[in-house]
Amino acid sequence: MKVKRLDTGQSPVTLEQAKRHLRVTSNDFDADLTGKLEAAITAAENYTGLMLREYEFSVTGDFTRQIKTGIMPIKEASVKVDGNEISDIDWEDSTVILPGTCRGSKIEIKMKTGFDIFPDDITAAILLVTGRFFENPSDSVENLPKASSNLLNAYKRWGR
């Protein structure tokens, strides 16, 4: 199975949200704060094992009826088997499931990740990490702040 990221979509937490959280009213720190916000989102993705940004992926490989992509949450998916579009697909966690009548040799999946409604507790965790990076930039952050990891634990993919 070959997985390729095609596109990175919009950030789930905006610069404006981070500025409000940090009580920053000027635009003087926008570039620095944007970098720290993106680093905080990446840290949350690494901790949880979830794709928090809206990514687009391509997954290709040999045919099987259940394709474990390792990518979640899946928001949309389209599947082609031997070049033919397949309807009635489903997904659960990171597994794309094809109908029982489907046969073929090669599979191609295009999928988008993300949440329909982004969880407030993940937003809060990202803002806490962003604040930590912003307020203490010379600190070597070895772990997420305790409050952030507590907020993210409910979303962590254990044993991945």
Side-chain angles (χ1 to χ4, degrees), residues 15-30 33 130-131 134-135:
L15 175 62
E16 290 72 30
Q17 286 174 295
K19 288 171 76 170
R20 271 195 312 275
H21 173 75
L22 295 168
R23 296 178 178 88
V24 174
T25 56
S26 75
N27 297 330
D28 296 344
F29 303 102
D30 284 6
L33 193 51
T130 303
F134 184 71
E135 292 167 0

Side-chain angles (χ1 to χ4, degrees), residues 59-62 64 67 79-81 98 105-109:
V59 179
T60 55
D62 294 330
T64 180
I67 304 98
V79 177
K80 288 184 180 179
V81 174
L98 304 181
S105 61
K106 295 293 179 189
I107 192 160
E108 180 183 345
I109 304 169

Side-chain angles (χ1 to χ4, degrees), residues 48-51 57 59 66-77 90-97 109 111-115 154-158 160:
T48 62
L50 298 176
M51 303 287 114
F57 286 93
V59 179
Q66 293 192 7
I67 304 98
K68 295 181 188 236
T69 66
I71 299 166
M72 61 185 284
I74 299 172
K75 190 175 188 176
E76 295 175 20
D90 198 9
W91 54 84
E92 183 177 318
D93 295 328
S94 70
T95 302
V96 176
I97 305 163
I109 304 169
M111 58 188 194
K112 290 184 181 180
T113 62
F115 292 86
Y155 299 92
K156 189 168 182 164
R157 294 176 57 197
W158 299 94
R160 56 186 154 101

Side-chain angles (χ1 to χ4, degrees), residues 88-158:
D88 297 327
I89 62 166
D90 198 9
W91 54 84
E92 183 177 318
D93 295 328
S94 70
T95 302
V96 176
I97 305 163
L98 304 181
T101 57
C102 191
R103 305 264 186 275
S105 61
K106 295 293 179 189
I107 192 160
E108 180 183 345
I109 304 169
K110 298 266 195 246
M111 58 188 194
K112 290 184 181 180
T113 62
F115 292 86
D116 290 328
I117 299 172
F118 198 76
D120 290 335
D121 42 357
I122 296 178
T123 298
I126 290 169
L127 290 172
L128 288 169
V129 174
T130 303
R132 174 109 175 246
F133 289 158
F134 184 71
E135 292 167 0
N136 197 356
S138 63
D139 182 21
S140 64
V141 180
E142 293 180 22
N143 296 310
L144 293 178
K146 188 69 172 163
S148 295
S149 59
N150 286 343
L151 289 166
L152 294 172
N153 277 341
Y155 299 92
K156 189 168 182 164
R157 294 176 57 197
W158 299 94

